[in-house]
Amino acid sequence: MALPRADADQLARQGLDALRNRDGARARAIFDRLAVEAPADVPRPWLPLAQACRLIGDAPAETEALQALLREQPRNLAGLLLMGDRKRLDSDDRAATVFYTAALNQAAAMREVPASLHPLLRQAEAFKQESAVRFAGHVEAAVGALYAGRVAQSVDLLLGRRELHLQQPSMFYFEGLPQRPFYRRDEFDWVAELEAATPAIRAELEAVTEDFRPYVEGDPNRPLPNNPLLDDPAWSALHLWRGGEIVAENADRFPVTMAALAKLPIPRIAGRSPMALFSRLTPGAHIQPHHGLLNTRLICHLPIIAPPGCALRVGADTHEWREGELVTFDDSFEHEAWNRGTSTRTVLLFEIWKPEIAPDERADLTRLFEAIDAYGPPMVDQG
């Protein structure tokens, strides 16, 4: 039979007084009774019951009370923290980490966290860090140096040493392609011939000192891009092909470069591609992290002038340009670039189809992109 509401309230006050006085046995007896006899519209006292069980050292009963609380309130912050702490004391690192992580996520989503829970939150953070070190040691002791390549990268993801990056193109996503930030030079049979042309391309480039324009320029018919390098010559370009059209006044001065580009598998999409240019980055310039428009292409950089201190990060991997060595990457991954050296970096930049896209799919995508662009001016890459 349920207790009258007034009697239940009085018992609850007595139980809380017992908790404050650290009289665990009395508190447990009271909250055990309330769990059974309190009126139906009164929440069960699972949390103080768990605290009372902790005081008297009854771990199974504490766990049972916390489980009951979290069945009713899966995101109860105090319950998650106390369950994490219970699992910590039980030497169950993995379970403790899961509960502590859920608690920290819940706390981050709350507008205000009770001050009484702040010490437990700090304990949760510290435990997660310590547990991560123990887990890494366990894994490394078990597998040693037996893993390499993709397995090693996956282990680094598991241990939190590497951040997961996936393709996130800002305009069009093509299904079913591998998640590869960089491609190897030896995967393309045309690379050696292109790289061999580097000295001649550099000679052409050194004869042209003007006509570079800011890489990111505003369009009066579009909102201005939120890019710190907008209209900034620190990142500049000299276009040879743009929007599928030859920029004749520039191309005429680069016959060797244009001949090299003509041999490459560059997409042919009306109003969009070929696209080829020299990209220049001055000392101190930093291209902020961003994503490209599409995941159907690869961006190629042939470093023409590559001083020390210049690098490109794509996803979790960073590459330093080396003069005459092609870099091929998927710009639909988050990427950024910087020049921390003392002289200007210049690359020949162009795009190619991803090799995994079949010829018939390329034809379909070409028609699709041309149809999209026929609806209105195409989106412009802002780096």
Side-chain angles (χ1 to χ4, degrees):
M1 181 176 177
L3 288 168
R5 181 63 178 263
D7 291 349
D9 290 345
Q10 183 179 5
L11 267 181
R13 288 192 293 271
Q14 293 172 0
L16 292 175
D17 286 341
L19 273 182
R20 281 190 288 269
N21 293 327
R22 303 190 65 78
D23 186 348
R26 175 168 169 73
R28 179 181 180 176
I30 291 172
F31 292 123
D32 268 338
R33 181 182 177 190
L34 285 173
V36 175
E37 299 181 21
D41 61 343
V42 173
R44 303 297 97 172
W46 303 124
L47 185 61
L49 176 57
Q51 293 170 312
C53 292
R54 169 72 70 90
L55 281 175
I56 63 174
D58 190 341
E62 177 190 355
T63 300
E64 186 177 339
L66 290 171
Q67 288 173 337
L69 170 64
L70 293 173
R71 278 196 298 270
E72 295 179 2
Q73 302 176 52
R75 293 294 174 262
N76 184 285
L77 179 56
L80 291 168
L81 286 166
L82 289 177
M83 184 64 93
D85 194 46
R86 180 67 264 161
K87 297 300 183 183
R88 176 186 67 84
L89 293 171
D90 292 340
S91 299
D92 188 345
D93 272 19
R94 298 192 73 177
T97 297
V98 170
F99 280 107
Y100 276 148
T101 298
L104 291 166
N105 291 339
Q106 179 62 22
M110 294 172 63
R111 179 170 297 178
E112 187 173 350
V113 175
S116 60
L117 296 180
H118 290 181
L120 283 175
L121 287 169
R122 290 193 292 271
Q123 177 178 290
E125 288 278 13
F127 176 86
K128 285 191 64 180
Q129 294 174 10
E130 295 162 2
S131 178
V133 172
R134 288 193 294 272
F135 180 57
H138 166 78
V139 170
E140 290 170 341
V143 302
L146 299 178
Y147 55 87
R150 290 187 298 178
V151 176
Q153 292 177 345
S154 300
V155 170
D156 285 343
L157 282 172
L158 172 69
L159 299 180
R161 296 171 177 167
R162 181 182 177 92
E163 187 177 351
L164 177 63
H165 290 270
L166 300 173
Q167 298 164 356
Q168 297 183 61
S170 59
M171 194 276 283
F172 180 81
Y173 182 84
F174 187 77
E175 288 282 358
L177 296 176
Q179 299 282 339
R180 294 185 60 190
F182 285 98
Y183 283 62
R184 300 190 316 274
R185 293 155 60 225
D186 62 8
E187 295 181 66
F188 306 100
D189 58 11
W190 45 265
V191 169
E193 184 177 0
L194 175 64
E195 291 181 341
T198 302
I201 294 173
R202 177 166 182 160
E204 290 184 336
L205 179 66
E206 289 176 340
V208 178
T209 57
E210 70 284 347
D211 295 332
F212 275 78
R213 298 181 56 84
Y215 193 106
V216 183
E217 295 183 296
D219 181 346
N221 297 312
R222 292 288 186 273
L224 292 177
N226 182 23
N227 191 315
L229 293 175
L230 174 65
D231 296 324
D232 188 340
W235 183 23
S236 59
L238 190 151
H239 292 267
L240 304 175
W241 284 87
R242 191 171 196 179
E245 301 289 339
I246 290 178
V247 183
E249 63 271 26
N250 294 333
D252 289 346
R253 293 177 290 175
F254 291 89
V256 172
T257 306
M258 295 300 292
L261 290 170
K263 299 177 182 179
L264 305 180
I266 295 176
R268 302 277 173 166
I269 303 170
R272 184 183 288 252
S273 188
M275 174 270 287
L277 56 106
F278 290 102
S279 171
R280 193 165 66 181
L281 200 62
T282 60
H286 181 193
I287 303 170
Q288 297 292 326
H290 62 287
H291 298 83
L293 293 175
L294 315 163
N295 71 327
T296 55
R297 68 181 183 185
L298 297 175
I299 297 296
C300 299
H301 286 180
L302 178 64
I304 308 302
I305 303 173
C310 300
L312 165 73
R313 177 187 66 81
V314 183
D317 300 315
T318 299
H319 178 90
E320 292 189 8
W321 291 284
R322 290 180 289 273
E323 186 172 319
E325 291 189 9
L326 189 76
V327 182
T328 305
F329 66 97
D330 180 348
D331 74 327
S332 68
F333 287 89
E334 182 186 81
H335 60 288
E336 62 180 322
W338 56 84
N339 183 342
R340 297 172 185 160
T342 58
S343 57
T344 298
R345 178 234 68 178
T346 304
V347 300
L348 176 63
L349 185 157
F350 57 94
E351 63 182 356
I352 62 172
W353 285 108
K354 276 195 175 168
E356 298 87 359
I357 300 177
D360 60 329
E361 293 174 319
R362 296 180 187 186
D364 288 342
L365 288 170
T366 296
R367 288 191 293 272
L368 173 63
F369 293 147
E370 289 177 350
I372 292 170
D373 294 346
Y375 187 76
M379 294 177 67
V380 177
D381 269 317
Q382 297 293 351

